[in-house]
Amino acid sequence: LASAQTPGRKAWTDIFRRAIPQFEKRARLQLIQDASTEEEERAAPSQAASFAKEYGAILDKLEIDPDTVIPGYEADFWRAGGRKGLSCKVMCALRETCLARLGLRDAFRQVKRKENGESLQVLGHIVAEIEALESPEDRMALALRGCFAGNLFDLGAHFSSQKYDAAEEGRKKGGGAGAEEDSFASFKATRENLPARPWLVDCLDS
């Protein structure tokens, strides 16, 4: 990432900082789901808030001195290559450790299970679309665009998490009816909004 003398450094830490509320929300929900007692369930919000506070403080320190190694988190810098300096790998590793200290290996396990189930419901429609195309080249192109569209589903990113929450709110207001149709329509809309070829790395014709 950018050095301490350039504004790009804060731009990158801000990307991770804007994602903190979503991670706090998912951590809270996952802790509540995993709770085996009412006491653990009541403690979930404060535990999730402690993650947000701790990780925010870590980002504050890295903004001041991007070459610092945070005490108690030394292993994360080694996991990220063993080098000093701010990087995406370091910030991801630090965030994972903050969550792991709450007992969470994956704060998004609950929503992943839900979305995987809904994705399987529309998989047949997607495969049918691909198989309906005549040429192998067109089938491959559509399959790749489907992969790209699916890869945009990233609740750890602020922009995509906002879109997901807005869609979920709309689904609740609609009473949850037509979930399969909604999922397929949302997937197709995302796929259609992808940049046209040629892509940045485009070897499809070779």
Side-chain angles (χ1 to χ4, degrees), residues 22 25-26 155 160-170:
Q22 182 67 211
K25 172 184 175 180
R26 296 299 165 186
L155 292 185
S160 56
S161 68
Q162 280 188 320
K163 291 184 67 177
Y164 178 83
D165 286 344
E168 285 294 285
E169 187 62 30

Side-chain angles (χ1 to χ4, degrees), residues 98-183:
C98 288
L99 290 168
R101 290 179 178 179
L102 297 179
L104 288 175
R105 292 182 60 86
D106 185 359
F108 293 85
R109 189 173 73 249
Q110 179 188 36
V111 71
K112 284 178 181 177
R113 184 179 294 117
K114 172 182 174 293
E115 292 301 319
N116 284 343
E118 292 185 4
S119 297
L120 288 173
Q121 290 180 358
V122 302
L123 179 60
H125 299 296
I126 296 168
V127 171
E129 276 193 320
I130 295 171
E131 292 182 341
L133 298 174
E134 293 185 3
S135 75
E137 293 79 11
D138 288 343
R139 290 197 292 271
M140 178 60 75
L142 187 60
L144 282 174
R145 292 181 68 82
C147 291
F148 297 154
N151 198 46
L152 290 177
F153 180 76
D154 180 4
L155 292 185
H158 176 66
F159 174 72
S160 56
S161 68
Q162 280 188 320
K163 291 184 67 177
Y164 178 83
D165 286 344
E168 285 294 285
E169 187 62 30
R171 189 178 296 181
K172 288 178 182 177
K173 289 180 179 179
E180 182 176 331
E181 291 80 3
D182 288 346
S183 295

Side-chain angles (χ1 to χ4, degrees), residues 1 15 21 26 29 32 35 48 53 70 85 99-100 137 148 154 158 167 171 175 193 204:
L1 292 182
I15 289 175
R26 296 299 165 186
L29 293 174
I32 289 172
K53 182 178 180 180
I70 309 296
L99 290 168
E137 293 79 11
F148 297 154
D154 180 4
H158 176 66
R171 189 178 296 181
N193 287 328
L204 186 58

Side-chain angles (χ1 to χ4, degrees), residues 7-204:
R9 172 166 52 98
K10 190 174 188 304
W12 275 100
T13 54
D14 279 350
I15 289 175
F16 282 80
R17 194 183 299 278
R18 287 197 299 269
I20 289 177
Q22 182 67 211
F23 274 82
E24 180 182 359
K25 172 184 175 180
R26 296 299 165 186
R28 182 181 71 252
L29 293 174
Q30 192 62 57
L31 286 167
I32 289 172
Q33 186 182 58
D34 294 344
S36 56
T37 65
E38 290 185 2
E39 184 178 355
E40 289 180 352
E41 188 172 334
R42 286 194 298 270
S46 61
Q47 285 184 290
S50 71
F51 151 77
K53 182 178 180 180
E54 174 70 9
Y55 189 57
I58 287 173
L59 292 180
D60 290 340
K61 293 175 183 177
L62 290 173
E63 282 185 4
I64 295 170
D65 180 6
D67 290 326
T68 191
V69 175
I70 309 296
Y73 293 88
E74 293 86 355
D76 295 315
F77 291 87
W78 287 108
R79 283 173 57 200
R83 298 184 301 275
K84 286 187 177 182
L86 198 57
S87 72
C88 288
K89 281 188 175 182
V90 164
M91 288 190 285
C92 285
L94 291 165
R95 185 170 60 194
E96 288 175 10
T97 295
C98 288
L99 290 168
R101 290 179 178 179
L102 297 179
L104 288 175
R105 292 182 60 86
D106 185 359
F108 293 85
R109 189 173 73 249
Q110 179 188 36
V111 71
K112 284 178 181 177
R113 184 179 294 117
K114 172 182 174 293
E115 292 301 319
N116 284 343
E118 292 185 4
S119 297
L120 288 173
Q121 290 180 358
V122 302
L123 179 60
H125 299 296
I126 296 168
V127 171
E129 276 193 320
I130 295 171
E131 292 182 341
L133 298 174
E134 293 185 3
S135 75
E137 293 79 11
D138 288 343
R139 290 197 292 271
M140 178 60 75
L142 187 60
L144 282 174
R145 292 181 68 82
C147 291
F148 297 154
N151 198 46
L152 290 177
F153 180 76
D154 180 4
L155 292 185
H158 176 66
F159 174 72
S160 56
S161 68
Q162 280 188 320
K163 291 184 67 177
Y164 178 83
D165 286 344
E168 285 294 285
E169 187 62 30
R171 189 178 296 181
K172 288 178 182 177
K173 289 180 179 179
E180 182 176 331
E181 291 80 3
D182 288 346
S183 295
F184 188 43
S186 176
F187 172 81
K188 289 175 67 176
T190 300
R191 188 179 61 191
E192 292 305 314
N193 287 328
L194 292 171
R197 295 185 64 201
W199 303 313
L200 184 61
V201 178
D202 194 332
C203 306
L204 186 58

